[in-house]
């Protein structure tokens, strides 16, 4: 949560900082602010709400100066207000921060006793005061930050300015992400995430926990918090800036929905072995013997990633015949869950920073499990603590509601299950080859479904936009898709929605049904089809408005559905990739017709680094 950005160079910093914050706004949008070294001292502008409010403040009172830091906030300590907005200033020092200082109560008490005047309710302002006290004791900024952080417990990525040292920014990190961008033309940058820096540089240094850096226009020096020099080569990131733009779409979410065929092609590149009908699994980090020795897979994830992991359980049990359990990461933590010898833990996360998933994976690792992660953001915290990472390669996802990252996570789960199934002699060569071939054909099929159903689904969204409750039902692999359809609708349109295992409906939720409730029933031609059809009829008998998501040519489904969305006939394992698309589009259009903020829904943030 929260995004930070910094610039030091030879040109006006404010436009670069605002541009960076725009690309980080998905991390929070309760308030935004900048601090820039002006001709005499540090000047600050802050505004509550979206970035455009800060831009208005800046147009009324511009900031001049070539060195500055910026912040976009997702409120944790203290409600969204101007006084709680970052940057926070103490004497000559200004600080922006992403994370949570855990010992903030004790620090606040100590600072008040030392005579500090604390203006805000935030934990961040305390860091500014701690650094200021060290500067007053005669330390330079780098040493002052180092000393101050010695007193801080918790998660942080910070960027600090001092008007006494107007040519540098000091940054540091523990748990929260921080990337340093190395410019070519006497300028350097920092940010919480890669997309903020893509228009300026592709050469990036990823700081590790317990490291800090001093950024000047022509140099970047990285050290540990203890002062030991760190030599690390930058990585060149091959994402293009255009990948983080809307490319003519009204919202990032719509662009990302339509980007799924391309994203999947990237996910499959170099991994599908169509000649031998197998998966190239070198990134999985397991030998064939390791694969055979696994006794159980434990999947850890949150939210949409949890739904992707649920599909993974189906794949792993049916294709690799391996016992698989799945855990909501926040419920795994601190529960004393049992990890046994031979357990492989898979952490699934788009951001690679979700605190619940990160901590759960660390707990499992401490208990002796091997950790494989399925992550999108390169070199983020979860890959760094994992034994191996099977990246999704979906490219930057900006819309807060995850779409293309979901499909690519499901793809990685399926590729992993095929790879494991072959090595464990649980999956026949013919079935593996059929699936590999099917995966290779999926991107084109997904593109066809998107273009073929877009208008129909938009019409449905227009017709049912006022529905107050919506149900999504599915069995087998369609159950996680029902959950995902409901989550998408809830989070961006604020409509109450429930995803249910279709067979479970009669045990309670059927009582919700009347003639005002649209019920989406996922019933592709799979091994559950007949029973799903019965569940559809049960909903229909209670006068629900029934929308079937079915295989092309399914006349039984057509006969009993009020509306029918058709997808091509594919192997059962591939149905989730197609059936999820109309549900993503439905959520998108309902939200768009309602006029909610599709890319930045209320109360949410893309990267959830709080518990
Ligand atoms: C919903 C959504 C969230 C995330 C969840 C986990 O659209 O995006 O539910 O899936 O916050 O985030 P990651 O995948 O980054 O661990």
């Amino acid at each position: 949560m929260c995004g930070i950005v910094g610039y030091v160079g030879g040109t006006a910093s404010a436009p670069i900082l605002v541009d960076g914050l725009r690309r980080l706004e998905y991390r929070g949008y309760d308030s935004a602010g900048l601090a820039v070294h002006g001709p005499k001292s540090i000047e600050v502008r802050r505004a509550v709400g979206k970035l455009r409010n800060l831009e208005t403040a800046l147009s009324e009172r511009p900031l001049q100066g070539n060195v500055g830091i910026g912040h976009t906030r997702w409120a944790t300590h203290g409600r969204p207000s101007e006084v709680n907005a970052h940057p926070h200033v103490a004497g000559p020092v200004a600080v922006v921060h992403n994370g949570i200082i855990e010992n903030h109560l004790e620090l606040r008490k100590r600072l008040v006793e030392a005579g500090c005047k604390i203006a805000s309710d935030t934990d961040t302002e305390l860091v500014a005061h701690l650094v200021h006290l060290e500067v007053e004791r005669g330390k330079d900024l780098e040493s002052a930050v180092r000393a101050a952080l010695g007193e801080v417990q918790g998660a942080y990525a910070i960027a600090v300015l001092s008007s006494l040292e107007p040519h540098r920014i000091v940054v540091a990190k523990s748990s929260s992400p921080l990337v340093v961008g190395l410019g070519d033309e006497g300028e350097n940058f920092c940010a919480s995430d890669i997309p903020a820096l893509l228009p300026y540089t592709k050469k990036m240094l990823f700081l590790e926990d317990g490291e800090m850096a001093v950024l000047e226009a022509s140099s970047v020096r990285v050290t540990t918090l203890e002062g030991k020099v760190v030599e690390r080569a930058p990585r060149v990131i091959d994402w293009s800036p255009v990948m983080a733009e809307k490319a003519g779409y009204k919202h990032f979410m719509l662009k990302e929905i339509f980007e799924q065929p391309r994203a999947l092609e990237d996910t499959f590149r170099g991994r599908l072995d169509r000649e031998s009908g197998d998966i190239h699994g070198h990134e999985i980090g397991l030998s064939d013997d390791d694969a055979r020795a696994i006794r159980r897979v434990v999947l850890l994830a949150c939210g949409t990633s949890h739904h992707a992991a649920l599909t993974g359980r189906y794949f792993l049990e049916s294709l690799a015949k391996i016992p698989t359990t799945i855990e909501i990461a926040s419920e795994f933590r601190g529960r004393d869950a049992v990890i046994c010898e031979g357990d492989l833990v898979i952490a699934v996360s788009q951001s690679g920073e979700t605190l619940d998933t990160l901590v759960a994976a660390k707990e499992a690792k401490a208990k002796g499990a091997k950790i494989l992660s399925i992550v999108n953001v390169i070199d983020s915290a979860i890959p760094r603590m994992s034994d191996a990472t099977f990246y999704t390669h979906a490219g930057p996802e900006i819309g807060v509601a995850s779409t293309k990252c979901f499909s690519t996570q499901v793809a990685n789960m399926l590729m992993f299950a095929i790879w494991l199934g072959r090595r464990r002699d649980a999956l026949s060569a013919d079935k593996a080859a059929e699936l590999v071939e099917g995966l290779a054909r999926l991107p084109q099929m997904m593109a066809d479904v998107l273009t073929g159903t877009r208008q129909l689904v938009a019409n449905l969204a227009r017709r049912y936009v006022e529905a107050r409750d919506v149900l999504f039902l599915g069995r087998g692999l369609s159950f996680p898709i029902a959950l995902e359809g409901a989550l998408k609708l809830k989070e961006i349109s604020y409509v109450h929605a429930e995803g249910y295992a279709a067979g479970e409906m009669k045990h309670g939720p059927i009582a919700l049904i009347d003639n005002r409730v649209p019920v989406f029933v996922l019933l592709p031609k799979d091994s559950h089809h007949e029973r799903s059809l019965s569940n559809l009829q049960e909903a229909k008998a209670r006068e629900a408005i029934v929308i079937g998501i079915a295989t092309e040519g399914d006349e039984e489904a057509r006969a009993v559905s009020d509306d029918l969305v058709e997808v091509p006939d594919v192997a059962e394992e591939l149905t989730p990739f197609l059936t999820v698309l109309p549900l993503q589009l439905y959520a998108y259009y309902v939200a768009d017709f309602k006029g909610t903020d599709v890319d930045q829904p209320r109360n949410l943030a893309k990267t959830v680094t709080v518990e």
Side-chain angles (χ1 to χ4, degrees):
M1 326 298 250
C2 300
I4 69 173
V5 63
Y7 173 79
V8 45
T11 183
S13 60
I16 294 172
L17 296 170
V18 169
D19 185 48
L21 290 182
R22 186 169 304 110
R23 290 161 210 277
L24 291 176
E25 223 185 352
Y26 70 88
R27 299 178 71 88
Y29 28 84
D30 289 331
S31 64
L34 298 188
V36 168
H37 277 297
K40 293 197 188 110
S41 61
I42 292 174
E43 285 194 55
V44 173
R45 302 284 181 275
R46 304 186 292 188
V48 180
K50 298 273 169 90
L51 189 60
R52 57 179 170 268
N53 299 346
L54 177 67
E55 289 178 281
T56 308
L58 286 166
S59 64
E60 286 159 6
R61 293 174 59 221
L63 284 176
Q64 314 289 347
N66 299 353
V67 182
I69 54 179
H71 187 269
T72 181
R73 179 167 188 246
W74 189 84
T76 53
H77 289 73
R79 67 187 176 84
S81 66
E82 190 169 328
V83 79
N84 285 337
H86 301 213
H88 289 284
V89 175
V93 172
V95 177
V96 290
H97 164 224
N98 165 32
I100 289 189
I101 308 299
E102 281 160 12
N103 57 336
H104 65 102
L105 289 175
E106 172 210 323
L107 289 175
R108 182 175 284 268
K109 187 161 169 276
R110 210 144 45 78
L111 287 165
V112 169
E113 280 165 9
C116 296
K117 298 263 173 296
I118 300 172
S120 73
D121 304 320
T122 66
D123 48 353
T124 306
E125 189 186 344
L126 310 178
V127 179
H129 285 286
L130 288 172
V131 177
H132 177 209
L133 288 178
E134 298 296 339
V135 168
E136 277 190 329
R137 287 179 192 133
K139 292 196 174 74
D140 61 30
L141 184 62
E142 181 182 352
S143 314
V145 169
R146 185 169 280 129
L149 290 178
E151 303 188 48
V152 165
Q153 289 159 18
Y156 56 77
I158 56 167
V160 189
L161 298 182
S162 163
S163 56
L164 305 176
E165 299 179 39
H167 303 298
R168 63 179 61 110
I169 303 172
V170 175
V171 300
K173 127 165 191 75
S174 178
S175 293
S176 303
L178 191 62
V179 186
V180 173
L182 305 177
D184 290 328
E185 310 279 330
E187 56 185 6
N188 288 304
F189 311 79
C190 65
S192 298
D193 200 356
I194 298 165
L197 305 181
L198 283 177
Y200 307 102
T201 179
K202 290 187 176 178
K203 255 194 284 171
M204 312 220 181
L205 267 179
F206 295 88
L207 291 198
E208 300 277 347
D209 287 347
E211 290 180 353
M212 55 191 293
V214 179
L215 278 59
E216 298 186 359
S218 51
S219 69
V220 169
R221 190 163 43 82
V222 182
T223 58
T224 62
L225 282 182
E226 293 73 39
K228 209 167 132 244
V229 173
V230 175
E231 301 288 352
R232 180 171 305 132
R235 292 185 58 158
V236 177
I237 300 299
D238 62 0
W239 294 357
S240 76
V242 176
M243 287 166 98
E245 305 284 355
K246 281 191 205 149
Y249 286 92
K250 186 170 175 190
H251 294 100
F252 279 110
M253 183 182 176
L254 190 61
K255 175 193 166 224
E256 288 159 1
I257 289 174
F258 275 87
E259 237 171 38
Q260 289 177 101
R262 199 273 311 142
L264 276 182
E265 274 169 11
D266 289 348
T267 306
F268 293 148
R269 190 158 298 125
R271 288 156 167 183
L272 298 186
D273 182 349
R274 293 174 80 176
E275 252 170 52
S276 65
D278 201 354
I279 300 294
H280 292 298
H282 53 279
E283 303 149 89
I284 292 165
L286 300 170
S287 67
D288 289 5
D289 284 345
D290 291 339
R292 281 188 281 273
I294 300 169
R295 306 268 291 271
R296 178 178 73 149
V297 172
V298 178
L299 296 160
L300 301 175
C302 304
T304 284
S305 298
H306 180 255
H307 300 157
L310 269 170
T311 68
R313 181 174 66 184
Y314 286 82
F315 297 143
L316 286 163
E317 287 181 345
S318 69
L319 303 177
K321 300 281 179 275
I322 187 151
T324 304
T325 59
I326 176 155
E327 301 269 0
I328 293 172
S330 57
E331 289 297 316
F332 179 86
R333 297 181 52 185
R335 199 189 70 209
D336 253 345
V338 178
I339 291 291
C340 309
E341 209 186 318
D343 278 353
L344 173 72
V345 168
I346 306 185
V348 187
S349 171
Q350 184 286 127
S351 61
E353 299 287 342
T354 299
L355 193 66
D356 286 324
T357 311
L358 176 63
V359 176
K362 281 184 177 166
E363 280 185 19
K365 190 171 191 173
K367 289 176 177 172
K370 203 173 169 80
I371 312 290
L372 171 66
S373 53
I374 293 182
V375 168
N376 192 43
V377 178
I378 293 154
D379 248 0
S380 48
I382 293 174
R384 282 205 301 271
M385 59 72 60
S386 301
D387 295 295
T389 301
F390 197 24
Y391 281 110
T392 49
H393 295 313
E397 189 176 67
I398 309 294
V400 164
S402 184
T403 51
K404 64 175 179 171
C405 285
F406 173 76
S407 310
T408 55
Q409 286 169 338
V410 176
N412 276 25
M413 295 280 8
L414 180 50
M415 286 192 288
F416 177 63
I418 297 171
W419 181 86
L420 203 56
R422 289 298 295 140
R423 265 114 217 112
R424 295 169 68 87
D425 295 327
L427 179 65
S428 72
D430 286 352
K431 178 69 182 170
E434 178 205 326
L435 288 172
V436 168
E437 206 46 44
L439 285 172
R441 295 213 192 100
L442 257 186
Q444 187 54 53
M445 282 188 173
M446 291 171 79
D448 294 343
V449 170
L450 285 167
T451 45
T453 63
R454 179 181 187 164
Q455 195 52 54
L456 168 64
V457 175
N459 294 345
L460 293 176
R462 173 77 72 195
R463 197 171 319 144
Y464 304 128
V465 66
E466 295 306 335
R468 290 182 50 189
D469 307 284
V470 182
L471 285 181
F472 293 84
L473 306 178
R475 283 174 182 263
L477 273 165
S478 292
F479 169 47
I481 303 306
L483 293 175
E484 180 59 6
L487 179 61
K488 288 288 90 88
L489 188 62
K490 278 187 263 213
E491 65 183 333
I492 61 168
S493 71
Y494 319 143
V495 170
H496 169 243
E498 301 271 1
Y500 256 94
E504 186 67 7
M505 187 183 62
K506 57 187 175 293
H507 299 292
I510 199 163
L512 291 170
I513 291 180
D514 63 23
N515 60 6
R516 289 164 302 178
V517 180
V519 179
F520 285 79
V521 183
L522 294 138
L523 68 167
K525 276 269 167 67
D526 60 12
S527 49
H528 306 277
H529 179 259
E530 289 309 314
R531 277 170 291 147
S532 302
L533 195 63
S534 304
N535 297 136
L536 187 154
Q537 278 158 330
E538 286 155 17
K540 187 78 205 141
R542 271 87 189 165
E543 298 189 350
I545 305 157
V546 177
I547 302 141
I549 311 286
T551 302
E552 277 163 5
D554 184 344
E555 293 310 323
E556 285 176 299
R558 178 172 296 285
V560 284
S561 303
D562 293 289
D563 301 285
L564 193 74
V565 183
E566 291 179 311
V567 297
D569 195 4
V570 287
E572 179 156 351
E573 292 81 359
L574 305 182
T575 54
F577 296 95
L578 303 182
T579 53
V580 77
L581 302 174
L583 304 191
Q584 293 170 340
L585 285 171
Y586 182 77
Y588 171 78
Y589 281 113
V590 171
D592 191 35
F593 294 147
K594 280 186 171 290
T596 59
D597 194 336
V598 172
D599 284 331
Q600 296 175 347
R602 69 185 181 201
N603 306 339
L604 292 174
K606 183 118 189 110
T607 308
V608 186
T609 51
V610 293
E611 303 183 57

